[in-house]
């Protein structure tokens, strides 16, 4: 397969930093040729709180992936998380140029500019301006208005913003690791690329990437995102509850969660068992009731799903016929999908990334949805010609690349 481009995705998560190098072929297929995963330190709930530690983690992940692939990383697509990530939808209307009364690219770009011009506080950084569709002379739901006879053109956009300081600190860390930034991408939108089907997006679906410190949530309707938000809870909260409830240390609590945890209580209730904690220092020899452990886990996971439900309900009942797709490391907890269905009262599936080849060992699981999704995001932009200047674009400073409305709608 002829190689078209080499792309890099870096997911700087609360628990781990992952750098992936992917080759994109002419047919759009992706092959992982390098990967580096190191435990993260220096982040709290997906926000950089220690520059040096974060730089070290990123450098570690980058080095690993370079050694494995033989490539030298120059630039990367970088995921952005943290509760400061927010979204809003904005419309922009223009009169169609009078000489033809036929919608042209120029009209679309002007409408996009109007939608973009809504007042965004100066302390916020615009991550994405994504076109959702058009309204042509009052007719909603137009996906491609080019060539239509019309007097008035309106564009609907989804705008994702993030706190300027948080984004600058992240960018600083990536640049300090000698990597330029192709584009900063909201984590949930990257994960969506890796786990959602087109049909789900068209029907209406939510992707919830449950990580260590946060849930990256994006709601899709009619094929495009219409709400992007981050909820500040995750697997760490489950582990903390276990540590407090069972009066044990965090590493013990984490180990108990991973090897004995479930949020499906029915089987455990039927027959409780004692777990011996054999290793791990002071806790050695401790005996724990598995039921007690799982009750703690279930209570917290129920609360997490209730928070998800509140976010989903805020956009209206019945808007998501395809339900919720859970991904992220913490979605791997046994019984998560069933508890999710019970609390959310909609279809729920757990999914990891799909469709890539190459060095996929240990990364085709939900914890790597964001990292692999970043490669898909980059590949999609490449296909649409958005990175025509890929080789030469100046990449210092803060890139906040506005996707060209025409290119992303009519590839
Ligand atoms: N098999 C498993 N069962 C339950 N939880 C798991 C499992 N494997 C990983 N986890 C949990 O997943 C979390 C890490 O997930 P992930 O790697 O997606 O987080 P992250 O991207 O680093 O964090 P964030 O997205 O919040 O910044 C941890 O809380 C870990 O305990
Ligand atoms: Mg994550």
């Amino acid at each position: 397969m002829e190689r078209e481009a080499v792309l890099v995705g870096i997911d700087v998560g609360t628990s781990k930093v992952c750098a992936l190098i992917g080759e994109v072929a002419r047919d759009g297929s992706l092959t992982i040729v390098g990967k580096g995963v190191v435990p993260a330190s220096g982040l709290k709930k997906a926000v950089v709180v220690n520059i040096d530690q974060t730089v070290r983690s990123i450098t570690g992940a980058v080095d690993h992936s370079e050694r494995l692939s033989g490539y030298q990383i120059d630039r990367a697509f970088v995921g952005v998380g943290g509760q400061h990530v927010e979204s809003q939808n904005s419309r922009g209307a223009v009169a169609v140029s009078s000489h033809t009364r036929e919608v042209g690219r120029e009209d679309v770009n002007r409408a996009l500019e109007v939608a973009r011009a809504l007042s965004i506080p100066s302390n916020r950084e615009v991550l994405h301006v994504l076109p959702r569709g058009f309204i042509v002379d009052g007719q909603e739901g137009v996906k491609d208005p080019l060539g239509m006879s019309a007097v008035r053109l309106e564009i609907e956009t989804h705008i994702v913003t993030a706190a300027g300081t948080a984004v600058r600190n992240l960018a600083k860390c990536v640049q300090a690791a000698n990597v330029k930034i192709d584009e900063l991408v909201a984590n949930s939108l990257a994960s969506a690329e890796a786990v959602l089907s087109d049909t789900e997006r068209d029907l209406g679906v939510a992707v919830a990437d449950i990580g260590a410190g946060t849930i990256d949530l994006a709601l899709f309707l009619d094929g495009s995102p219409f709400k992007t938000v981050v909820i500040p809870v995750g697997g760490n909260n489950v582990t903390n509850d276990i540590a407090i409830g069972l009066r044990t240390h965090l590493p013990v609590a984490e180990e108990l969660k991973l090897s004995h945890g479930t949020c499906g209580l029915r089987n455990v209730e039927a027959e409780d068992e004692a777990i011996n904690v054999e290793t791990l220092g002071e806790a050695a020899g401790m005996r724990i009731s598995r039921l007690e452990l799982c009750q703690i886990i279930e209570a917290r996971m129920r609360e997490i799903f209730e928070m998800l439900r509140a976010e989903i309900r805020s956009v209206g009942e019945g808007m998501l016929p395809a339900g919720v797709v859970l991904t992220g490391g913490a979605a791997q907890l046994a019984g998560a999908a069933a508890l999710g269905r019970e609390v959310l009262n909609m279809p729920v599936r757990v999914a990891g990334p799909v469709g890539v080849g190459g060095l996929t060992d240990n990364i085709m699981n939900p914890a790597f949805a964001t990292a692999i999704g970043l490669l898909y995001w980059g590949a999609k932009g490449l296909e649409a010609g958005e990175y025509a200047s890929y080789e030469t674009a100046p990449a210092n400073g803060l890139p906040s690349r506005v996707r060209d409305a025409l290119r992303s709608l009519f590839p």
Side-chain angles (χ1 to χ4, degrees):
M1 200 77 63
E2 197 184 344
R3 195 185 79 211
E4 181 174 33
V6 180
L7 300 178
V8 180
I10 302 181
D11 172 15
V12 186
T14 309
S15 73
K16 59 157 197 328
V17 175
C18 173
L20 294 180
I21 303 177
E23 289 183 351
V24 188
R26 289 240 173 266
D27 66 357
S29 61
L30 254 173
T31 306
I32 309 288
V33 295
K35 64 178 177 204
V37 185
V38 299
S41 49
L43 289 105
K44 275 218 168 76
K45 293 193 177 289
V47 172
V48 175
V49 293
N50 182 312
I51 299 265
D52 288 346
Q53 289 175 356
T54 306
V55 171
R56 236 172 287 144
S57 304
I58 297 172
T59 307
V62 165
D63 284 352
H64 277 289
S65 61
E66 285 181 337
R67 246 175 285 142
L68 209 56
S69 64
Y71 280 112
Q72 172 110 33
I73 293 180
D74 177 42
R75 47 205 300 142
F77 291 85
V78 177
V80 181
Q83 204 191 354
H84 58 92
V85 174
E86 291 168 5
S87 70
Q88 60 197 106
N89 295 321
S90 168
R91 287 185 173 191
V94 293
V96 175
S97 318
S98 56
H99 53 284
T100 56
R101 287 279 179 233
E102 197 173 275
V103 178
R105 285 172 183 261
E106 168 61 20
D107 300 306
V108 174
N109 280 336
R110 279 192 300 123
L112 187 80
E113 278 313 310
V114 175
R116 240 184 94 71
L118 90 172
S119 63
I120 289 164
S122 60
N123 59 356
R124 298 198 62 83
E125 203 68 47
V126 175
L127 296 181
H128 307 287
V129 179
L130 305 166
R132 295 186 24 78
F134 297 89
I135 301 157
V136 181
D137 285 348
Q139 175 64 53
E140 302 215 5
V142 176
K143 284 286 173 194
D144 178 359
L146 285 184
M148 286 177 76
S149 293
V151 177
R152 181 183 153 90
L153 174 73
E154 218 173 329
I155 191 170
E156 292 182 298
T157 62
H158 180 68
I159 300 185
V160 184
T161 63
T165 46
V167 165
R168 274 190 291 279
N169 282 328
L170 174 65
K172 208 181 277 181
C173 293
V174 173
Q175 285 157 358
N178 277 319
V179 178
K180 297 175 200 120
I181 297 173
D182 271 318
E183 190 175 7
L184 293 162
V185 184
N187 282 344
S188 55
L189 298 181
S191 296
E193 294 298 321
V195 301
L196 295 184
S197 71
D198 289 346
T199 313
E200 284 173 328
R201 278 185 229 230
D202 288 342
L203 283 171
V205 72
V207 60
D209 184 314
I210 314 180
T214 60
I215 304 176
D216 298 291
L217 178 66
L219 275 50
F220 287 78
L221 195 65
D222 292 328
S224 317
F226 70 100
K227 179 167 184 169
T228 306
V229 64
V230 176
I231 309 173
V233 292
N236 281 351
N237 296 85
V238 178
T239 304
N240 281 334
D241 288 358
I242 298 170
I244 292 166
L246 300 179
R247 288 187 207 84
T248 181
H249 303 292
L250 283 174
V252 180
E254 178 75 10
E255 171 62 25
L256 284 168
K257 177 179 82 172
L258 298 186
S259 25
H260 302 280
T262 173
C263 48
L265 285 183
R266 216 161 296 153
N267 293 337
V268 192
E269 277 163 352
E271 193 177 4
D272 192 13
E273 52 187 309
I275 303 165
N276 285 311
V277 182
E278 280 156 10
T279 51
L280 296 160
E282 289 166 45
M286 196 172 153
R287 279 167 71 83
I288 283 163
S289 145
R290 181 163 182 232
L291 181 59
E292 199 182 332
L293 168 72
C294 295
Q295 280 167 338
I296 295 170
I297 294 173
E298 198 260 6
R300 175 59 84 159
M301 288 302 287
R302 187 174 287 275
E303 194 184 321
I304 285 177
F305 284 122
E306 283 164 358
M307 294 171 95
L308 267 179
R309 186 176 62 192
E311 288 294 348
I312 289 169
R313 279 198 181 154
S314 71
V315 298
E317 293 279 351
M319 298 285 273
L320 308 175
V324 179
V325 178
L326 300 177
T327 190
Q332 297 172 97
L333 187 66
L339 183 63
R341 278 191 286 273
E342 183 197 318
V343 176
L344 297 164
N345 196 21
M346 51 173 74
V348 174
R349 70 180 178 100
V350 174
V354 290
V356 297
L359 303 175
T360 55
D361 281 2
N362 303 321
I363 58 167
M364 296 310 280
N365 72 64
F368 296 94
T370 301
I372 292 180
L374 286 166
L375 294 177
Y376 274 119
W377 180 279
K380 199 157 100 173
L382 203 68
E383 198 182 323
E386 281 171 35
Y387 310 111
S389 55
Y390 188 72
E391 305 295 342
T392 52
N396 279 322
L398 259 192
S400 124
R401 198 188 307 246
V402 178
R403 300 211 139 196
D404 181 319
L406 291 162
R407 282 175 176 158
S408 44
L409 277 175
F410 323 118

